[in-house]
Amino acid sequence: MPGDWDPSPAHSMPSTFSAEAYFATQPPPPLLAQEIEGVKEFVARQAAQNRNVVLVTSGGTTVPLELNVVRFLDNFSAGTRGATSAEYFLKAGYAVIFMHRQFSLQPFSRHYSHSTNPFLDFLTVEDSDGTVGITPAKRADADLLAVLTAYKRVQAAGTLHTLTFVTVDDYLWLLRAVAQALSVLRRRAMYYLAAAVSDFFLPRQKLSEHKIQSGKGSLHIEMDQVPKVLKPLVEEWTRDGFIVSFKLETDERLLIPKARAALERYGHQVVIGNDLHTRKSWLRIAADGAAAIHAKEIEEDIVSELLRRHEAWIASA
Ligand code: PMT
């Protein structure tokens, strides 16, 4: 928990970071304790109603290059996989903790948040009284009605809890604390790790305090490796949870071998392998057997396959 960070200079910087060394030397986000109280209340409420809960992580993490951040490294993830999957979990009756990169796509609003479907085009200014109206063609729009109905239902049921991260530090601290809070549900908890987490970072102690000056010529940065947190997640932070990780490759032939290797190394339940360029239409699931999936919205099939496996997991307790 936040308590194990020791900012004293006596704590020397490791040359490679284990998860333990990472949490001992990198500071937690300031509002962590408060956010975890909210998660605990949410989990207790869902447990009282006998609901399964899934933690969905979504979007990319940044790596700041300065303490007063002007520049940072980022990655491609838009959060489509996480936001879409969260909707299908909610539809299936799960409660969802949606832990996402600030400003990445979110369940329900994702349908209208980008320029393909800007919601301002759905509204009119009523000449008669200067109030806001709805574009006539949108009043009976079946897609909009379905999204809005599902969104209102989830709001009324209180089954969606949202948390945000920006940096890889925020992500790792939050992931550990949320996983621990959710572990009270044992087998009824699922962990769906779709976020694209940075593999390299600059430890706090190596960061320039102020904006790096460009007058000095080219910039050389040596980054440290972010510890792989799947191992402690499986072995220490969760208890009997159903853990689904993702493997992203750009060479499709590596997907199944690498997904299987991850399953063997970490001993969790499912690895979903996806290729960067075809990730929206095609993927592979590695568990006891491998399955290939492609569908209209691929997340619909992923979630229905996982629900089947989670049910079997709970039943095998
Ligand atoms: O958001 P979209 O644009 O829709 O894209 C979705 C996606 C491609 C990002 C998603 O489907 C996906 O594949 N997410 C995982 C990407 C990733 O981090 O892959 P990886 O091969 O680098 O890591 C493999 C696993 O190791 C991940 O489950 C990750 O949680 C875990 N990991 C990663 C870094 C780290 N320091 N510790 C970890 O445990």
Side-chain angles (χ1 to χ4, degrees):
M1 285 307 288
D4 57 6
W5 175 52
D6 175 6
S8 68
H11 216 108
S12 62
M13 280 264 296
S15 50
T16 56
F17 284 85
S18 62
E20 203 178 30
Y22 175 90
F23 288 112
T25 56
Q26 304 307 304
L31 296 180
L32 183 64
Q34 214 170 303
E35 294 193 298
I36 294 311
E37 278 316 303
V39 170
K40 284 181 179 164
E41 278 168 30
F42 179 79
V43 171
R45 204 165 57 241
Q46 306 309 329
Q49 294 173 51
N50 239 352
R51 271 200 197 97
N52 296 341
V53 180
V54 57
L55 166 66
V56 175
T57 71
S58 183
T61 60
T62 69
V63 177
L65 302 187
E66 296 127 342
L67 269 178
N68 291 288
V69 190
V70 175
R71 304 183 186 90
F72 54 85
L73 298 181
D74 203 349
N75 65 51
F76 68 94
S77 170
T80 313
R81 174 85 74 228
T84 310
S85 304
E87 271 179 38
Y88 285 110
F89 280 120
L90 287 161
K91 192 174 170 194
Y94 274 55
V96 174
I97 299 173
F98 186 65
M99 186 176 136
H100 73 107
R101 161 75 179 279
Q102 188 183 36
F103 306 133
S104 66
L105 292 176
Q106 293 203 48
F108 308 113
S109 69
R110 75 180 169 102
H111 298 274
Y112 303 102
S113 57
H114 281 179
S115 53
T116 45
N117 230 347
F119 84 95
L120 285 179
D121 288 354
F122 297 5
L123 305 178
T124 56
V125 177
E126 300 295 299
D127 287 338
S128 53
D129 57 1
T131 57
V132 177
I134 298 175
T135 311
K138 287 291 165 194
R139 290 216 177 105
D141 184 306
D143 292 339
L144 176 57
L145 187 65
V147 172
L148 192 60
T149 306
Y151 173 65
K152 295 287 179 196
R153 202 171 284 147
V154 164
Q155 269 192 325
T159 47
L160 176 61
H161 186 81
T162 299
L163 298 165
T164 59
F165 59 82
V166 176
T167 66
V168 66
D169 284 352
D170 299 342
Y171 173 86
L172 291 175
W173 277 97
L174 207 49
L175 177 67
R176 183 174 72 157
V178 174
Q180 287 167 338
L182 191 51
S183 69
V184 296
L185 292 188
R186 315 278 310 226
R187 285 186 181 242
R188 303 202 65 162
M190 190 193 298
Y191 303 80
Y192 184 87
L193 308 172
V197 183
S198 172
D199 286 317
F200 304 100
F201 82 122
L202 275 172
R204 175 64 54 122
Q205 296 77 355
K206 284 190 185 172
L207 284 178
S208 156
E209 184 182 351
H210 293 291
K211 183 184 172 199
I212 299 169
Q213 296 299 308
S214 58
K216 291 182 186 156
S218 56
L219 178 64
H220 298 270
I221 298 176
E222 190 180 5
M223 302 180 88
D224 290 62
Q225 213 169 359
V226 174
K228 284 283 175 200
V229 291
L230 261 175
K231 199 175 169 60
L233 183 96
V234 173
E235 292 176 2
E236 297 163 33
W237 307 345
T238 59
R239 276 178 292 169
D240 300 331
F242 186 82
I243 297 170
V244 181
S245 72
F246 282 76
K247 187 88 211 107
L248 177 72
E249 291 297 339
T250 52
D251 179 350
E252 186 198 304
R253 288 164 305 177
L254 295 178
L255 279 182
I256 279 294
K258 293 199 87 167
R260 289 224 171 99
L263 272 185
E264 266 170 41
R265 189 173 315 124
Y266 302 116
H268 58 303
Q269 285 68 42
V270 175
V271 179
I272 298 180
N274 50 179
D275 173 272
L276 179 67
H277 305 291
T278 59
R279 70 186 190 278
K280 297 195 179 182
S281 55
W282 189 93
L283 52 75
R284 278 178 172 277
I285 292 186
D288 35 8
I293 287 183
H294 26 105
K296 180 172 154 258
E297 270 199 325
I298 201 168
E299 288 78 6
E300 182 172 14
D301 278 6
I302 302 177
V303 170
S304 86
E305 175 68 20
L306 291 178
L307 295 181
R308 198 180 58 71
R309 289 172 188 270
H310 190 200
E311 218 168 89
W313 176 250
I314 292 170
S316 70

